[in-house]
Each structure stands twice: as C-alpha cells, then as structure tokens.
Amino acid sequence: MAAFLRGSRSVLKKCNSYVDLMLVSCRTMASKTPVGFIGLGNMGTPMAKNLLKNGYPVIATDAFPESCKELQDSGAQILDSPAEVAEKADRIITMLPSSPNVIEVYTGPNGILKKVKKGTLLIDSSTIDPAVSKEMAVAAEKMGAVFMDAPVSGGVGAASLAKLTFLVGGVEEEFNAAQELLTCMGANVVYCGQVGAGQAAKICNIMLLAIGMIGTAETMNLGIRLGLDPKLLAKILNMSSGRCWSSDSYNPVPGVMEGVPSANNYQGGFSATLMAKDLGLAQNTATNTRTPVFLGSLAHQVYRTMCARGYANKDFSSIFQFLREEEGQ
C-alpha cells in the first residue's frame, strides 16, 4: 500500500510538472504574439518599451516619424500607419493626446478599423471624452473587434518604471486579456465598469490632482513669503493633515525634491497643455451632468491662463513659478 501511495505521488508530481511546463510554454507562445502600439510620445514610448522588456514583440507607429526612433532602437518594428499595425497585430494599445486624435487613429482613412481583424483587442490609454470612448467601442464592435478604455494615472516617471495605474472600462469578460498586457506597464489595473467608466474615473482623478497642485503651490509660496524654509515647510506639510501627493511626491518648488520636473526647470512630466485639456473634459462632463465643480472650474481657468502666458509645454507643477511671476506684476 505504501509503495502504491509513493508511486501515486510520483505520478502526480510528474503530472504537476507537466502542467507547469505547459503553462510556461503557453505564456512563452503568448509573449511571441506581436502587440501593436500607436502613439509614441512622452508616455507611449516608455510604456511600449516595458512591453518589449516583458518579451512582447512590438509593432508601432506614430504621426511623427522622429518619435519612433527610440523605440525602434529598442527593438520594435516601425510601420507607416495605424492600418498597417492592425494588419499585423490582434492586440493594439493606443496612447494619444486628445479625442480628435483617437477618432482619426481609429476611424480615419489609414485608421485601425480599416484593416482590423475580427477578435482584435483594442485598448485605448488616452485620456478623452467618455462619449468618444463609447463611439469607438460601437465602431469597433461593427468590425468584430473589442474596444476598451484604459486611461492611466502616474505620469512619465511611473510609465518608465512600469508603475502606472490603469483605469479600465469595457466588457468584463475581456478584462483578463487586457490585464495581461497592462500589468507589464503598470502596478495597478482596476476594472471600473463598462466602456467609458475608465475615462470617468480618470477625469475625476485629474480634477482633484489639479486642485491639489494649485493648493500646494499656493501654500508653499505663502510659507516662503512668510520666511519659512521650503524644505522645512514641505516636511511639516507631509507629516500633517495638509499632506497630499503634490506635496510629498511631486513638490512644485525647485530644490525641495530630486527627480521631479521642478528640479529640472519643469521639463518632462505632464504638460500644462494636457492638464488644461483634461480639465476641459471634466468641465464638459460636469456641465452635461449638471454637477457643480467650483474649484474644478477655477483650476481649468488657471491652467488655460498659464498656457496663454507661455507655460504650455512646461510641467503642470510650474503653477508655482507662474504664481511667483504673478507677484511681480
């Protein structure tokens, strides 16, 4: 009997090893399936590079050919149009600046949907109007493809370190397939509901971020005007009830933190232009739903003013510099 049990355990162990080998083999085969990536800006390039690092061959394109060089040097195949990418990949991620860009890339003359294969999974990580996400989902469904919105939170630093948060909207049955790719680029992948729900969550988060950054910049500026050392003030805020992400992880005052845009003349990061665009989305949805957003509306006005005053391409934390310049007028 003991010999039989030992023999059974041996057989079971071999079976388990065989199953493990099969799972590894399946994962290896999956990793050899090319992934399309469209939109190689400040966010898209590091995201696509993380797919390469995880063993996924990447087929990519961008409206500006010069944006493709870094990814090409990392081993990606570069094509001329979204339609060509759709011919070669059945999983495609898009990372684009605005709603019009998304509409063009998906439905334009050389768009994805001109050549998309049935069953293709389309994941859009752009931050756009939830209504546009829903329109793209309908258009994709007509072509036999599946569209999901998956905007991100975290910025360029998190994109480089694969620590983004993805907020996913779409058919729940497809979430696992999307998660397989998104976990290569992010630390958190959250299912938010049907198509458009990811965008809704992102818009709410970005509005709070803008309000928090303006509040942090104003607070730091006031403290400095009162004679406080900025590093000391930041330390006090971060151990007190005023603590927030803008104060402890992305401080807008030069010299307080290393590795953030304020330490590099506000270069890189998330531009004031994109912040103004995203706050415009929040404003539109608030208007459409008759939701009062007093501070959200004011934040939108502040960032639009900043863009008009020459801050368009600087990181959104340059609100601190903008406030300092306002003092001199």
Side-chain angles (χ1 to χ4, degrees), residues 212-293:
M213 179 56 77
I214 294 171
T216 299
E218 289 185 348
T219 297
M220 293 295 296
N221 189 39
L222 176 60
I224 292 167
R225 290 284 296 269
L226 292 172
L228 290 171
D229 176 78
K231 284 188 177 182
L232 174 63
L233 177 56
K235 181 179 179 180
I236 292 168
L237 292 175
N238 294 334
M239 62 174 63
S240 305
S241 55
R243 176 182 173 271
C244 65
W245 186 83
S246 294
S247 69
D248 73 358
S249 299
Y250 210 84
N251 199 285
V253 180
V256 170
M257 293 183 67
E258 296 181 358
V260 294
S262 62
N264 188 34
N265 195 28
Y266 301 103
Q267 299 303 306
F270 186 67
S271 73
T273 293
L274 290 177
M275 177 57 82
K277 183 267 292 184
D278 289 354
L279 288 169
L281 295 175
Q283 184 66 61
N284 290 341
T285 54
T287 299
N288 293 338
T289 56
R290 302 177 68 182
T291 305
V293 287

Side-chain angles (χ1 to χ4, degrees), residues 11 16 34 39 41 57 80 92 103 136 154 164 245 281 303 319:
V11 170
N16 287 336
D80 291 331
I92 301 172
I103 293 169
M136 295 303 100
L164 291 168
W245 186 83
L281 295 175
Y303 277 101
I319 175 65

Side-chain angles (χ1 to χ4, degrees), residues 143-193:
M143 303 303 295
V146 177
F147 177 96
M148 304 186 82
D149 61 305
V152 303
S153 177
V156 174
S160 299
L161 297 171
K163 291 185 177 180
L164 291 168
T165 292
F166 287 89
L167 307 170
V168 184
V171 180
E172 189 169 8
E173 289 75 15
E174 299 290 343
F175 177 64
N176 287 339
Q179 191 174 32
E180 176 197 335
L181 297 178
L182 299 181
T183 50
C184 296
M185 301 178 286
N188 304 293
V189 183
V190 183
Y191 180 70
C192 300

Side-chain angles (χ1 to χ4, degrees), residues 25 42 51-52 93 154 283:
S25 177
N42 289 337
L51 287 172
L52 288 168
I93 297 166
Q283 184 66 61

Side-chain angles (χ1 to χ4, degrees), residues 53-113:
K53 288 176 185 176
N54 279 274
Y56 291 90
V58 173
I59 299 171
T61 192
D62 190 274
F64 300 98
E66 62 273 15
S67 299
C68 301
K69 187 179 187 307
E70 184 179 346
L71 193 65
Q72 188 173 32
D73 290 344
S74 298
Q77 180 183 358
I78 303 300
L79 299 178
D80 291 331
S81 71
E84 291 183 45
V85 172
E87 279 188 301
K88 294 182 176 291
D90 59 12
R91 293 177 293 178
I92 301 172
I93 297 166
T94 52
M95 187 63 172
L96 303 161
S98 65
S99 295
N101 297 120
V102 170
I103 293 169
E104 177 67 18
V105 162
Y106 279 90
T107 65
N110 293 308
I112 292 169
L113 298 184

